[in-house]
mmCIF file of all heavy atoms in Angstrom:
data_model
loop_
_atom_site.group_PDB
_atom_site.id
_atom_site.type_symbol
_atom_site.label_atom_id
_atom_site.label_comp_id
_atom_site.label_asym_id
_atom_site.label_seq_id
_atom_site.Cartn_x
_atom_site.Cartn_y
_atom_site.Cartn_z
ATOM 1 N N GLU A 8 103.970 84.353 103.185
ATOM 2 C CA GLU A 8 102.655 84.951 102.968
ATOM 3 C C GLU A 8 102.797 86.156 102.039
ATOM 4 O O GLU A 8 103.752 86.931 102.155
ATOM 5 C CB GLU A 8 102.057 85.423 104.299
ATOM 6 C CG GLU A 8 101.613 84.296 105.199
ATOM 7 C CD GLU A 8 100.395 83.576 104.673
ATOM 8 O OE1 GLU A 8 99.470 84.244 104.156
ATOM 9 O OE2 GLU A 8 100.376 82.349 104.755
ATOM 10 N N PRO A 9 101.865 86.350 101.126
ATOM 11 C CA PRO A 9 101.926 87.524 100.256
ATOM 12 C C PRO A 9 101.632 88.789 101.063
ATOM 13 O O PRO A 9 100.918 88.749 102.064
ATOM 14 C CB PRO A 9 100.832 87.260 99.222
ATOM 15 C CG PRO A 9 99.890 86.342 99.907
ATOM 16 C CD PRO A 9 100.727 85.508 100.845
ATOM 17 N N ASP A 10 102.199 89.900 100.628
ATOM 18 C CA ASP A 10 101.959 91.176 101.286
ATOM 19 C C ASP A 10 100.608 91.701 100.820
ATOM 20 O O ASP A 10 100.477 92.198 99.703
ATOM 21 C CB ASP A 10 103.072 92.161 100.946
ATOM 22 C CG ASP A 10 102.934 93.477 101.685
ATOM 23 O OD1 ASP A 10 102.076 93.575 102.579
ATOM 24 O OD2 ASP A 10 103.694 94.406 101.379
ATOM 25 N N LEU A 11 99.592 91.584 101.667
ATOM 26 C CA LEU A 11 98.248 92.008 101.307
ATOM 27 C C LEU A 11 97.991 93.472 101.642
ATOM 28 O O LEU A 11 96.912 93.991 101.382
ATOM 29 C CB LEU A 11 97.214 91.117 101.999
ATOM 30 C CG LEU A 11 97.287 89.638 101.629
ATOM 31 C CD1 LEU A 11 96.248 88.842 102.403
ATOM 32 C CD2 LEU A 11 97.130 89.431 100.138
ATOM 33 N N GLN A 12 98.981 94.132 102.230
ATOM 34 C CA GLN A 12 98.853 95.552 102.540
ATOM 35 C C GLN A 12 100.140 96.284 102.138
ATOM 36 O O GLN A 12 100.855 96.803 102.977
ATOM 37 C CB GLN A 12 98.545 95.744 104.016
ATOM 38 C CG GLN A 12 97.232 95.119 104.393
ATOM 39 C CD GLN A 12 96.821 95.400 105.818
ATOM 40 O OE1 GLN A 12 97.565 95.921 106.613
ATOM 41 N NE2 GLN A 12 95.599 95.043 106.126
ATOM 42 N N PRO A 13 100.421 96.313 100.817
ATOM 43 C CA PRO A 13 101.652 96.958 100.363
ATOM 44 C C PRO A 13 101.627 98.457 100.638
ATOM 45 O O PRO A 13 100.579 99.094 100.574
ATOM 46 C CB PRO A 13 101.677 96.673 98.863
ATOM 47 C CG PRO A 13 100.263 96.399 98.503
ATOM 48 C CD PRO A 13 99.619 95.804 99.711
ATOM 49 N N LEU A 14 102.785 98.996 100.963
ATOM 50 C CA LEU A 14 102.895 100.413 101.282
ATOM 51 C C LEU A 14 102.623 101.285 100.061
ATOM 52 O O LEU A 14 101.932 102.294 100.139
ATOM 53 C CB LEU A 14 104.295 100.690 101.829
ATOM 54 C CG LEU A 14 104.406 101.788 102.849
ATOM 55 C CD1 LEU A 14 103.544 101.492 104.056
ATOM 56 C CD2 LEU A 14 105.836 101.969 103.270
ATOM 57 N N TYR A 15 103.199 100.916 98.926
ATOM 58 C CA TYR A 15 103.031 101.664 97.687
ATOM 59 C C TYR A 15 102.559 100.720 96.588
ATOM 60 O O TYR A 15 103.335 100.310 95.728
ATOM 61 C CB TYR A 15 104.345 102.334 97.279
ATOM 62 C CG TYR A 15 104.877 103.261 98.336
ATOM 63 C CD1 TYR A 15 105.964 102.903 99.127
ATOM 64 C CD2 TYR A 15 104.279 104.498 98.567
ATOM 65 C CE1 TYR A 15 106.440 103.749 100.113
ATOM 66 C CE2 TYR A 15 104.743 105.349 99.555
ATOM 67 C CZ TYR A 15 105.830 104.964 100.317
ATOM 68 O OH TYR A 15 106.289 105.808 101.296
ATOM 69 N N PRO A 16 101.275 100.362 96.594
ATOM 70 C CA PRO A 16 100.787 99.408 95.590
ATOM 71 C C PRO A 16 100.797 100.011 94.190
ATOM 72 O O PRO A 16 100.571 101.197 94.014
ATOM 73 C CB PRO A 16 99.359 99.115 96.052
ATOM 74 C CG PRO A 16 98.967 100.289 96.886
ATOM 75 C CD PRO A 16 100.232 100.824 97.493
ATOM 76 N N THR A 17 101.074 99.161 93.232
ATOM 77 C CA THR A 17 101.055 99.573 91.829
ATOM 78 C C THR A 17 100.115 98.660 91.052
ATOM 79 O O THR A 17 99.862 97.520 91.467
ATOM 80 C CB THR A 17 102.462 99.481 91.203
ATOM 81 O OG1 THR A 17 102.876 98.113 91.207
ATOM 82 C CG2 THR A 17 103.470 100.340 91.955
ATOM 83 N N PRO A 18 99.591 99.142 89.939
ATOM 84 C CA PRO A 18 98.729 98.279 89.127
ATOM 85 C C PRO A 18 99.409 96.981 88.698
ATOM 86 O O PRO A 18 98.766 95.935 88.653
ATOM 87 C CB PRO A 18 98.392 99.163 87.920
ATOM 88 C CG PRO A 18 98.440 100.550 88.463
ATOM 89 C CD PRO A 18 99.585 100.527 89.449
ATOM 90 N N SER A 19 100.703 97.032 88.414
ATOM 91 C CA SER A 19 101.378 95.802 87.976
ATOM 92 C C SER A 19 101.463 94.785 89.114
ATOM 93 O O SER A 19 101.319 93.579 88.888
ATOM 94 C CB SER A 19 102.766 96.101 87.417
ATOM 95 O OG SER A 19 103.577 96.702 88.401
ATOM 96 N N GLN A 20 101.680 95.250 90.349
ATOM 97 C CA GLN A 20 101.671 94.333 91.497
ATOM 98 C C GLN A 20 100.298 93.704 91.659
ATOM 99 O O GLN A 20 100.176 92.504 91.890
ATOM 100 C CB GLN A 20 102.005 95.071 92.793
ATOM 101 C CG GLN A 20 103.428 95.474 92.968
ATOM 102 C CD GLN A 20 103.601 96.313 94.221
ATOM 103 O OE1 GLN A 20 102.694 97.042 94.632
ATOM 104 N NE2 GLN A 20 104.763 96.207 94.832
ATOM 105 N N LEU A 21 99.270 94.533 91.555
ATOM 106 C CA LEU A 21 97.908 94.024 91.717
ATOM 107 C C LEU A 21 97.534 93.047 90.611
ATOM 108 O O LEU A 21 96.887 92.034 90.873
ATOM 109 C CB LEU A 21 96.914 95.172 91.742
ATOM 110 C CG LEU A 21 96.954 96.020 92.990
ATOM 111 C CD1 LEU A 21 95.982 97.179 92.876
ATOM 112 C CD2 LEU A 21 96.645 95.196 94.205
ATOM 113 N N ALA A 22 97.930 93.351 89.388
ATOM 114 C CA ALA A 22 97.623 92.450 88.273
ATOM 115 C C ALA A 22 98.191 91.072 88.542
ATOM 116 O O ALA A 22 97.536 90.049 88.303
ATOM 117 C CB ALA A 22 98.173 93.025 86.972
ATOM 118 N N TYR A 23 99.412 91.037 89.075
ATOM 119 C CA TYR A 23 100.035 89.744 89.389
ATOM 120 C C TYR A 23 99.274 89.035 90.502
ATOM 121 O O TYR A 23 98.919 87.866 90.378
ATOM 122 C CB TYR A 23 101.494 89.950 89.791
ATOM 123 C CG TYR A 23 102.114 88.693 90.353
ATOM 124 C CD1 TYR A 23 102.466 87.643 89.515
ATOM 125 C CD2 TYR A 23 102.304 88.533 91.722
ATOM 126 C CE1 TYR A 23 103.004 86.473 90.026
ATOM 127 C CE2 TYR A 23 102.848 87.373 92.234
ATOM 128 C CZ TYR A 23 103.196 86.353 91.390
ATOM 129 O OH TYR A 23 103.713 85.197 91.902
ATOM 130 N N HIS A 24 99.002 89.731 91.602
ATOM 131 C CA HIS A 24 98.359 89.098 92.758
ATOM 132 C C HIS A 24 96.903 88.718 92.516
ATOM 133 O O HIS A 24 96.385 87.801 93.153
ATOM 134 C CB HIS A 24 98.453 89.995 93.988
ATOM 135 C CG HIS A 24 99.820 90.034 94.594
ATOM 136 N ND1 HIS A 24 100.439 88.924 95.106
ATOM 137 C CD2 HIS A 24 100.696 91.042 94.755
ATOM 138 C CE1 HIS A 24 101.627 89.233 95.560
ATOM 139 N NE2 HIS A 24 101.814 90.532 95.350
ATOM 140 N N LEU A 25 96.236 89.413 91.614
ATOM 141 C CA LEU A 25 94.829 89.112 91.340
ATOM 142 C C LEU A 25 94.645 88.105 90.214
ATOM 143 O O LEU A 25 93.530 87.658 89.972
ATOM 144 C CB LEU A 25 94.072 90.402 91.007
ATOM 145 C CG LEU A 25 93.977 91.412 92.147
ATOM 146 C CD1 LEU A 25 93.308 92.679 91.658
ATOM 147 C CD2 LEU A 25 93.247 90.831 93.342
ATOM 148 N N SER A 26 95.732 87.745 89.547
ATOM 149 C CA SER A 26 95.608 86.770 88.471
ATOM 150 C C SER A 26 95.204 85.409 89.051
ATOM 151 O O SER A 26 95.538 85.085 90.180
ATOM 152 C CB SER A 26 96.922 86.649 87.696
ATOM 153 O OG SER A 26 97.894 86.009 88.481
ATOM 154 N N PRO A 27 94.476 84.626 88.280
ATOM 155 C CA PRO A 27 94.002 83.330 88.783
ATOM 156 C C PRO A 27 95.130 82.339 89.078
ATOM 157 O O PRO A 27 94.940 81.393 89.821
ATOM 158 C CB PRO A 27 93.108 82.804 87.658
ATOM 159 C CG PRO A 27 92.989 83.868 86.654
ATOM 160 C CD PRO A 27 93.969 84.934 86.964
ATOM 161 N N ASN A 28 96.306 82.558 88.520
ATOM 162 C CA ASN A 28 97.406 81.611 88.688
ATOM 163 C C ASN A 28 98.172 81.762 89.995
ATOM 164 O O ASN A 28 98.992 80.917 90.318
ATOM 165 C CB ASN A 28 98.383 81.749 87.517
ATOM 166 C CG ASN A 28 97.714 81.503 86.194
ATOM 167 O OD1 ASN A 28 96.772 80.729 86.102
ATOM 168 N ND2 ASN A 28 98.167 82.177 85.170
ATOM 169 N N VAL A 29 97.948 82.838 90.742
ATOM 170 C CA VAL A 29 98.719 83.091 91.965
ATOM 171 C C VAL A 29 98.231 82.232 93.119
ATOM 172 O O VAL A 29 99.012 81.780 93.938
ATOM 173 C CB VAL A 29 98.678 84.589 92.335
ATOM 174 C CG1 VAL A 29 99.295 84.839 93.692
ATOM 175 C CG2 VAL A 29 99.422 85.375 91.289
ATOM 176 N N GLY A 30 96.955 81.992 93.209
ATOM 177 C CA GLY A 30 96.438 81.104 94.243
ATOM 178 C C GLY A 30 96.000 81.797 95.520
ATOM 179 O O GLY A 30 95.860 81.150 96.555
ATOM 180 N N LEU A 31 95.779 83.117 95.488
ATOM 181 C CA LEU A 31 95.235 83.783 96.667
ATOM 182 C C LEU A 31 93.761 83.409 96.824
ATOM 183 O O LEU A 31 93.050 83.227 95.837
ATOM 184 C CB LEU A 31 95.342 85.307 96.525
ATOM 185 C CG LEU A 31 96.722 85.930 96.582
ATOM 186 C CD1 LEU A 31 96.615 87.442 96.411
ATOM 187 C CD2 LEU A 31 97.425 85.605 97.872
ATOM 188 N N SER A 32 93.319 83.306 98.046
ATOM 189 C CA SER A 32 91.907 83.018 98.290
ATOM 190 C C SER A 32 91.084 84.273 97.988
ATOM 191 O O SER A 32 91.625 85.385 97.971
ATOM 192 C CB SER A 32 91.707 82.602 99.745
ATOM 193 O OG SER A 32 91.890 83.708 100.607
ATOM 194 N N PRO A 33 89.794 84.121 97.763
ATOM 195 C CA PRO A 33 88.948 85.300 97.527
ATOM 196 C C PRO A 33 89.000 86.310 98.680
ATOM 197 O O PRO A 33 88.998 87.516 98.438
ATOM 198 C CB PRO A 33 87.549 84.714 97.365
ATOM 199 C CG PRO A 33 87.792 83.335 96.853
ATOM 200 C CD PRO A 33 89.047 82.877 97.536
ATOM 201 N N SER A 34 89.096 85.841 99.913
ATOM 202 C CA SER A 34 89.164 86.780 101.043
ATOM 203 C C SER A 34 90.488 87.532 101.051
ATOM 204 O O SER A 34 90.537 88.716 101.399
ATOM 205 C CB SER A 34 88.944 86.054 102.370
ATOM 206 O OG SER A 34 89.979 85.124 102.614
ATOM 207 N N GLN A 35 91.573 86.880 100.631
ATOM 208 C CA GLN A 35 92.862 87.559 100.535
ATOM 209 C C GLN A 35 92.832 88.606 99.420
ATOM 210 O O GLN A 35 93.361 89.706 99.584
ATOM 211 C CB GLN A 35 93.988 86.564 100.280
ATOM 212 C CG GLN A 35 94.330 85.707 101.476
ATOM 213 C CD GLN A 35 95.367 84.664 101.135
ATOM 214 O OE1 GLN A 35 95.275 83.969 100.121
ATOM 215 N NE2 GLN A 35 96.370 84.530 102.001
ATOM 216 N N LYS A 36 92.213 88.272 98.308
ATOM 217 C CA LYS A 36 92.105 89.235 97.208
ATOM 218 C C LYS A 36 91.258 90.427 97.627
ATOM 219 O O LYS A 36 91.584 91.571 97.310
ATOM 220 C CB LYS A 36 91.513 88.566 95.969
ATOM 221 C CG LYS A 36 92.466 87.591 95.310
ATOM 222 C CD LYS A 36 91.860 86.956 94.093
ATOM 223 C CE LYS A 36 92.842 85.986 93.458
ATOM 224 N NZ LYS A 36 92.303 85.375 92.238
ATOM 225 N N THR A 37 90.185 90.178 98.364
ATOM 226 C CA THR A 37 89.338 91.263 98.845
ATOM 227 C C THR A 37 90.103 92.163 99.806
ATOM 228 O O THR A 37 90.012 93.392 99.716
ATOM 229 C CB THR A 37 88.074 90.697 99.526
ATOM 230 O OG1 THR A 37 87.344 89.939 98.558
ATOM 231 C CG2 THR A 37 87.195 91.800 100.083
ATOM 232 N N GLU A 38 90.874 91.575 100.698
ATOM 233 C CA GLU A 38 91.685 92.365 101.626
ATOM 234 C C GLU A 38 92.685 93.233 100.871
ATOM 235 O O GLU A 38 92.842 94.429 101.159
ATOM 236 C CB GLU A 38 92.426 91.456 102.598
ATOM 237 C CG GLU A 38 93.288 92.200 103.590
ATOM 238 C CD GLU A 38 94.065 91.288 104.527
ATOM 239 O OE1 GLU A 38 93.716 90.099 104.672
ATOM 240 O OE2 GLU A 38 95.035 91.784 105.120
ATOM 241 N N LEU A 39 93.350 92.656 99.883
ATOM 242 C CA LEU A 39 94.327 93.383 99.089
ATOM 243 C C LEU A 39 93.669 94.531 98.330
ATOM 244 O O LEU A 39 94.146 95.670 98.364
ATOM 245 C CB LEU A 39 95.017 92.426 98.111
ATOM 246 C CG LEU A 39 95.980 93.042 97.106
ATOM 247 C CD1 LEU A 39 97.177 93.677 97.820
ATOM 248 C CD2 LEU A 39 96.449 91.988 96.116
ATOM 249 N N VAL A 40 92.572 94.265 97.660
ATOM 250 C CA VAL A 40 91.900 95.289 96.857
ATOM 251 C C VAL A 40 91.372 96.404 97.748
ATOM 252 O O VAL A 40 91.528 97.592 97.427
ATOM 253 C CB VAL A 40 90.772 94.664 96.002
ATOM 254 C CG1 VAL A 40 89.873 95.737 95.403
ATOM 255 C CG2 VAL A 40 91.366 93.795 94.912
ATOM 256 N N ASN A 41 90.767 96.067 98.867
ATOM 257 C CA ASN A 41 90.234 97.102 99.745
ATOM 258 C C ASN A 41 91.341 97.963 100.341
ATOM 259 O O ASN A 41 91.185 99.177 100.478
ATOM 260 C CB ASN A 41 89.367 96.500 100.845
ATOM 261 C CG ASN A 41 88.027 96.056 100.324
ATOM 262 O OD1 ASN A 41 87.462 96.668 99.427
ATOM 263 N ND2 ASN A 41 87.502 94.982 100.868
ATOM 264 N N HIS A 42 92.460 97.357 100.685
ATOM 265 C CA HIS A 42 93.594 98.133 101.179
ATOM 266 C C HIS A 42 94.082 99.098 100.099
ATOM 267 O O HIS A 42 94.307 100.285 100.363
ATOM 268 C CB HIS A 42 94.735 97.197 101.604
ATOM 269 C CG HIS A 42 96.020 97.914 101.860
ATOM 270 N ND1 HIS A 42 96.253 98.638 102.998
ATOM 271 C CD2 HIS A 42 97.131 98.043 101.089
ATOM 272 C CE1 HIS A 42 97.462 99.182 102.932
ATOM 273 N NE2 HIS A 42 98.007 98.827 101.784
ATOM 274 N N CYS A 43 94.228 98.605 98.884
ATOM 275 C CA CYS A 43 94.730 99.433 97.787
ATOM 276 C C CYS A 43 93.724 100.519 97.409
ATOM 277 O O CYS A 43 94.108 101.641 97.064
ATOM 278 C CB CYS A 43 95.068 98.567 96.579
ATOM 279 S SG CYS A 43 96.459 97.459 96.895
ATOM 280 N N LEU A 44 92.450 100.210 97.504
ATOM 281 C CA LEU A 44 91.411 101.196 97.227
ATOM 282 C C LEU A 44 91.491 102.344 98.235
ATOM 283 O O LEU A 44 91.450 103.520 97.865
ATOM 284 C CB LEU A 44 90.034 100.534 97.267
ATOM 285 C CG LEU A 44 88.836 101.411 96.953
ATOM 286 C CD1 LEU A 44 88.908 101.913 95.522
ATOM 287 C CD2 LEU A 44 87.552 100.632 97.175
ATOM 288 N N THR A 45 91.650 102.005 99.503
ATOM 289 C CA THR A 45 91.772 103.026 100.545
ATOM 290 C C THR A 45 93.011 103.878 100.321
ATOM 291 O O THR A 45 92.952 105.108 100.376
ATOM 292 C CB THR A 45 91.814 102.374 101.944
ATOM 293 O OG1 THR A 45 90.604 101.636 102.141
ATOM 294 C CG2 THR A 45 91.972 103.407 103.031
ATOM 295 N N ARG A 46 94.144 103.231 100.047
ATOM 296 C CA ARG A 46 95.395 103.977 99.841
ATOM 297 C C ARG A 46 95.303 104.882 98.614
ATOM 298 O O ARG A 46 95.778 106.010 98.637
ATOM 299 C CB ARG A 46 96.582 103.034 99.710
ATOM 300 C CG ARG A 46 96.953 102.419 101.054
ATOM 301 C CD ARG A 46 98.349 101.891 101.102
ATOM 302 N NE ARG A 46 99.390 102.822 100.796
ATOM 303 C CZ ARG A 46 100.038 103.583 101.686
ATOM 304 N NH1 ARG A 46 99.689 103.539 102.942
ATOM 305 N NH2 ARG A 46 101.014 104.375 101.304
ATOM 306 N N SER A 47 94.682 104.402 97.550
ATOM 307 C CA SER A 47 94.587 105.227 96.346
ATOM 308 C C SER A 47 93.717 106.456 96.598
ATOM 309 O O SER A 47 94.016 107.535 96.082
ATOM 310 C CB SER A 47 94.046 104.412 95.172
ATOM 311 O OG SER A 47 92.714 104.025 95.384
ATOM 312 N N CYS A 48 92.676 106.328 97.415
ATOM 313 C CA CYS A 48 91.818 107.473 97.737
ATOM 314 C C CYS A 48 92.520 108.444 98.683
ATOM 315 O O CYS A 48 92.466 109.657 98.493
ATOM 316 C CB CYS A 48 90.506 106.994 98.349
ATOM 317 S SG CYS A 48 89.436 106.149 97.180
ATOM 318 N N VAL A 49 93.184 107.927 99.692
ATOM 319 C CA VAL A 49 93.852 108.781 100.678
ATOM 320 C C VAL A 49 94.985 109.582 100.036
ATOM 321 O O VAL A 49 95.159 110.765 100.323
ATOM 322 C CB VAL A 49 94.385 107.938 101.853
ATOM 323 C CG1 VAL A 49 95.329 108.730 102.727
ATOM 324 C CG2 VAL A 49 93.239 107.398 102.686
ATOM 325 N N PHE A 50 95.746 108.951 99.150
ATOM 326 C CA PHE A 50 96.914 109.601 98.568
ATOM 327 C C PHE A 50 96.665 110.158 97.164
ATOM 328 O O PHE A 50 97.595 110.626 96.515
ATOM 329 C CB PHE A 50 98.110 108.642 98.559
ATOM 330 C CG PHE A 50 98.579 108.317 99.943
ATOM 331 C CD1 PHE A 50 98.299 107.083 100.513
ATOM 332 C CD2 PHE A 50 99.273 109.255 100.688
ATOM 333 C CE1 PHE A 50 98.712 106.789 101.799
ATOM 334 C CE2 PHE A 50 99.689 108.970 101.978
ATOM 335 C CZ PHE A 50 99.410 107.732 102.535
ATOM 336 N N GLY A 51 95.434 110.110 96.688
ATOM 337 C CA GLY A 51 95.114 110.678 95.384
ATOM 338 C C GLY A 51 95.804 109.978 94.225
ATOM 339 O O GLY A 51 96.167 110.615 93.246
ATOM 340 N N ASP A 52 95.967 108.673 94.330
ATOM 341 C CA ASP A 52 96.609 107.893 93.270
ATOM 342 C C ASP A 52 95.533 107.484 92.264
ATOM 343 O O ASP A 52 94.945 106.406 92.356
ATOM 344 C CB ASP A 52 97.307 106.672 93.860
ATOM 345 C CG ASP A 52 98.139 105.911 92.849
ATOM 346 O OD1 ASP A 52 97.950 106.134 91.630
ATOM 347 O OD2 ASP A 52 98.971 105.091 93.274
ATOM 348 N N PHE A 53 95.289 108.369 91.292
ATOM 349 C CA PHE A 53 94.210 108.138 90.339
ATOM 350 C C PHE A 53 94.516 107.006 89.372
ATOM 351 O O PHE A 53 93.602 106.358 88.865
ATOM 352 C CB PHE A 53 93.886 109.430 89.581
ATOM 353 C CG PHE A 53 93.371 110.501 90.497
ATOM 354 C CD1 PHE A 53 94.111 111.638 90.733
ATOM 355 C CD2 PHE A 53 92.162 110.354 91.153
ATOM 356 C CE1 PHE A 53 93.663 112.612 91.603
ATOM 357 C CE2 PHE A 53 91.694 111.320 92.027
ATOM 358 C CZ PHE A 53 92.450 112.459 92.253
ATOM 359 N N THR A 54 95.785 106.748 89.125
ATOM 360 C CA THR A 54 96.153 105.633 88.259
ATOM 361 C C THR A 54 95.740 104.315 88.905
ATOM 362 O O THR A 54 95.131 103.452 88.261
ATOM 363 C CB THR A 54 97.681 105.637 87.987
ATOM 364 O OG1 THR A 54 98.034 106.884 87.408
ATOM 365 C CG2 THR A 54 98.072 104.495 87.081
ATOM 366 N N LEU A 55 96.061 104.165 90.181
ATOM 367 C CA LEU A 55 95.702 102.945 90.905
ATOM 368 C C LEU A 55 94.186 102.830 91.057
ATOM 369 O O LEU A 55 93.609 101.765 90.860
ATOM 370 C CB LEU A 55 96.383 102.917 92.273
ATOM 371 C CG LEU A 55 96.157 101.683 93.126
ATOM 372 C CD1 LEU A 55 96.658 100.427 92.425
ATOM 373 C CD2 LEU A 55 96.834 101.839 94.482
#
């Protein structure tokens, strides 16, 4: 299973997981993006 809640997400990891060729379902992509959005706000990761 892909790690949908990475500890230290990076834009390059997200670009790979969100690409259409990876095969994640829309709900998995939403879970990943929302987790990364929360982490970027909590830790002040403006790049992410």
Side-chain angles (χ1 to χ4, degrees):
E8 288 290 320
D10 184 9
L11 299 178
Q12 298 186 351
L14 212 59
Y15 302 105
T17 64
S19 61
Q20 287 174 329
L21 289 177
Y23 170 75
H24 286 298
L25 295 175
S26 71
N28 301 329
V29 172
L31 290 180
S32 70
S34 64
Q35 288 175 313
K36 289 180 180 182
T37 299
E38 180 182 342
L39 174 64
V40 168
N41 285 326
H42 168 77
C43 294
L44 182 64
T45 300
R46 287 200 57 91
S47 66
C48 290
V49 168
F50 293 105
D52 187 344
F53 296 113
T54 303
L55 182 60

